[in-house]
Amino acid sequence: MDTVPQPPQDPPPRHPAPTAPPPPTAPPPAGVRDGARFAFGTLTVLPVSGARWDRAAARSGMVCAPLVGLVAGLCAAAAGGVALLLGASPLLAAVATVAVPAVLTRGLHLDGLADVADGLGSGRPAEGALEVMKRSDIGPFGVVTLLLVLLAQVAAVAGAYAAGWAWGAVAVTVSAVAARAALTLAAREGVPAARPGGLGAAVAGAVPPRAAVLTCAAVVSAAAGAGALWGPYGAVRCAVAVVVALGTAHLLLARCRRRLGGVTGDVFGAVGETALTTSLVVLALG
């Protein structure tokens, strides 16, 4: 009986067929620890290890930004207290106080304020203004703005110290926290980045509006609690200072959105310094 011939079989492949890559998985949600590491790693020069730099960490980090303000404010107030104990005048102690946040941020917030002043003062369209802000030098608008803001901060802190170091320490700390809460507000969803790349694009639109509002409300409540040590009037003054500071920072943010098309790292710095100065001035009045 004849056998049916079998068709020739292909030799086995030398290499296994490539398999499809697994689908990308979403990063795990970022907790408070991840957010705090991101906030301190981006907003200060303090060494941070094990920080995440993804979008989830940016969202949590900008919500935790007021914690950075609390640490910076306490360090600044401590420097002023040490200066006063050594016999320095309130004015000299105020200089030491204002220097601490500048050191903790490498002056980036002040540099951002100067760059935004140059960009907005240039009168150029959005692209031209952003080019001015990217330059390494500081123009006349930036110099004048930086000088006036630093003078206002030193004068306000000196006035607060003249009323007693304890009140000055509260004013400095509350204002530092309010400045970082303004960053949380500026990073809320709906506020676009003016250009790709950089810290501004990394955190722009990262915070849900509800989280931004709750964070700012918590800062106002905490400020009122700190001011309550001086009675109802102190509580109201601290709460009003934070509200006015956030409102002023929001006006600058709105101006930058109209002129520049969104936020950049410089805009975040300018917003923070604006809120800080406004809160210090309000708390120094009266």
Side-chain angles (χ1 to χ4, degrees), residues 80-220:
V82 171
L84 291 173
L85 287 175
L86 294 176
S89 65
L91 181 59
L92 185 56
V95 173
T97 300
V98 172
V100 170
V103 172
L104 288 178
T105 61
R106 289 196 186 97
L108 290 180
H109 292 182
L110 292 170
D111 179 69
L113 175 66
D115 287 341
V116 169
D118 282 333
L120 296 181
S122 67
R124 299 183 181 183
E127 292 185 3
L130 290 172
E131 286 298 322
V132 170
M133 292 166 57
K134 287 178 64 177
R135 296 175 182 172
S136 58
D137 59 338
I138 300 179
F141 286 104
V143 171
V144 172
T145 300
L146 201 58
L147 179 62
L148 293 177
V149 165
L150 287 174
L151 284 175
Q153 291 180 3
V154 170
V157 174
Y161 281 158
W165 175 81
W167 173 254
V170 168
V172 168
T173 305
V174 166
S175 299
V177 175
R180 275 62 180 187
L183 301 186
T184 304
L185 199 62
R188 69 185 184 276
E189 293 177 359
V191 181
R195 59 184 172 218
L199 177 62
V203 300
V207 180
R210 184 172 181 269
V213 171
L214 290 177
T215 299
C216 292
V219 169
V220 173

Side-chain angles (χ1 to χ4, degrees), residues 2-107:
D2 297 335
T3 59
V4 179
Q6 299 293 328
Q9 297 183 354
D10 295 332
R14 295 184 178 181
H15 303 285
T19 58
T25 58
V32 176
R33 180 177 298 180
D34 294 320
R37 286 174 175 171
F38 182 93
F40 280 95
T42 55
L43 302 178
T44 72
V45 297
L46 298 176
V48 177
S49 60
R52 288 172 49 182
W53 306 107
D54 52 32
R55 189 67 171 175
R59 181 183 301 110
S60 181
M62 296 312 294
V63 172
C64 293
L67 294 177
V68 178
L70 178 62
V71 173
L74 291 175
C75 292
V82 171
L84 291 173
L85 287 175
L86 294 176
S89 65
L91 181 59
L92 185 56
V95 173
T97 300
V98 172
V100 170
V103 172
L104 288 178
T105 61
R106 289 196 186 97

Side-chain angles (χ1 to χ4, degrees), residues 188 248-260 271:
R188 69 185 184 276
T248 305
H250 180 72
L251 292 177
L252 176 60
L253 176 64
R255 173 65 174 167
C256 291
R257 290 182 64 183
R258 289 193 301 268
R259 285 281 285 108
L260 306 176
V271 165

